[in-house]
Amino acid sequence: MALYGRSSRALVEETLQTGTITDSQIIGCDLTGLITKPAHWTKTDFRELSANDIVFNSADFNECVFFRASMVDALFSNCSFDSTILDGLSLIKSRWNSSTLHSSILKNGTLQRSTFTRVIFSNCTIADIEAVAASVTNCIFSNCLFEITYGCGMNGFSGATISGCIFRGCRFSGYPLRGCAVRDSVFSHCHGDIGDNIEETNTVGFSPAHISEKKNLVNPDAARALLSNYMEEKK
């Protein structure tokens, strides 16, 4: 096992040149502004980091743990997360582009003003987050759990905007979408306490109890085609 401490930034950068970091712990290290090259991270723990403005480009994370790190303004582009835990992170104004998360957990995090664009979540848990003013666009959530326990004082996606997204087979607990705006999206085979006081526009799959302000579906054929195309891709 490799251990990288507070003054080990140069060692981390050197190891990244190999393209693989395995069975390692990076603890208390200052990685502010680091721009990483494409790399495979396996069974690596990131703990107590100062990593604002860090850039991960084409990075693969497998069985990794991110815990209590400051990652404000972080960029994740073309990344994949498999069986990875992101717990207690400050991800304010982070940007997530064209990435995938599978069987992973995102919890106890602050994501105010973050943006998610063309991100796919499958079999993931998203619990006790604060995502006010976040933007979630053209994303897919398949068989995911969204949960707010209120033990951490988090408000989920309240104040966020969700547009052009597909939710399929998802379970909701604690009204995690309470107070958000949902536009041009599809909810299929979802159940639980999705949310209330939702501003909904051109969206299918909600019951009237969830909605405070509703605008009728403008193009139902396009909504059905969107879901049909997604199902064909999953075959």
Side-chain angles (χ1 to χ4, degrees):
M1 175 181 288
L3 176 63
Y4 303 89
R6 294 186 179 276
S7 302
S8 300
R9 176 180 178 129
L11 293 176
V12 173
E13 292 178 315
E14 181 180 340
T15 305
L16 275 172
Q17 299 302 314
T18 68
T20 302
I21 294 183
T22 302
D23 196 22
S24 300
Q25 291 190 359
I26 304 174
I27 302 175
C29 191
D30 185 356
L31 300 179
T32 302
L34 177 65
I35 300 176
T36 68
K37 294 183 177 182
H40 300 281
W41 306 75
T42 303
K43 295 182 179 178
T44 295
D45 288 0
F46 304 80
R47 297 179 180 271
E48 308 284 352
L49 300 184
S50 176
N52 297 337
D53 296 298
I54 194 169
V55 174
F56 289 105
N57 185 33
S58 299
D60 298 326
F61 300 95
N62 185 31
E63 296 184 61
C64 294
V65 175
F66 291 78
F67 180 70
R68 294 182 63 180
S70 179
M71 304 180 75
V72 176
D73 282 311
L75 171 63
F76 301 90
S77 181
N78 296 297
C79 294
S80 67
F81 298 80
D82 193 355
S83 303
T84 289
I85 298 173
L86 301 98
D87 182 8
L89 306 182
S90 178
L91 290 161
I92 297 169
K93 295 192 293 183
S94 59
R95 293 152 292 157
W96 304 69
N97 301 328
S98 302
S99 297
T100 61
L101 293 91
H102 175 71
S103 297
S104 295
I105 299 173
L106 173 60
K107 64 179 182 178
N108 303 322
T110 52
L111 292 121
Q112 296 95 323
R113 292 178 285 168
S114 295
T115 60
F116 293 81
T117 306
R118 299 184 65 83
V119 178
I120 298 174
F121 294 81
S122 62
N123 300 298
C124 290
T125 296
I126 301 173
D128 293 322
I129 64 168
E130 183 74 50
V132 65
S135 175
V136 184
T137 306
N138 297 333
C139 295
I140 295 173
F141 300 88
S142 177
N143 299 312
C144 292
L145 167 65
F146 294 81
E147 183 177 39
I148 295 294
T149 64
Y150 296 101
C152 298
M154 300 295 195
N155 295 296
F157 288 91
S158 179
T161 299
I162 298 172
S163 60
C165 294
I166 294 174
F167 296 79
R168 183 178 185 276
C170 293
R171 183 161 57 95
F172 297 82
S173 176
Y175 301 96
L177 301 192
R178 169 176 282 160
C180 75
V182 182
R183 302 167 183 162
D184 307 313
S185 297
V186 175
F187 289 74
S188 174
H189 299 92
C190 296
H191 60 94
D193 304 321
I194 295 176
D196 54 12
N197 197 31
I198 294 172
E199 179 186 334
E200 178 262 317
T201 304
N202 200 33
T203 293
V204 294
F206 277 146
S207 73
H210 297 138
I211 302 163
S212 65
E213 180 178 342
K214 177 177 176 61
K215 297 181 181 178
N216 291 330
L217 188 66
V218 175
N219 192 339
D221 291 336
R224 282 191 288 268
L226 178 67
L227 184 58
S228 177
N229 290 339
Y230 165 70
M231 294 300 296
E232 288 297 324
E233 291 176 0
K234 295 295 287 184
K235 289 181 179 179

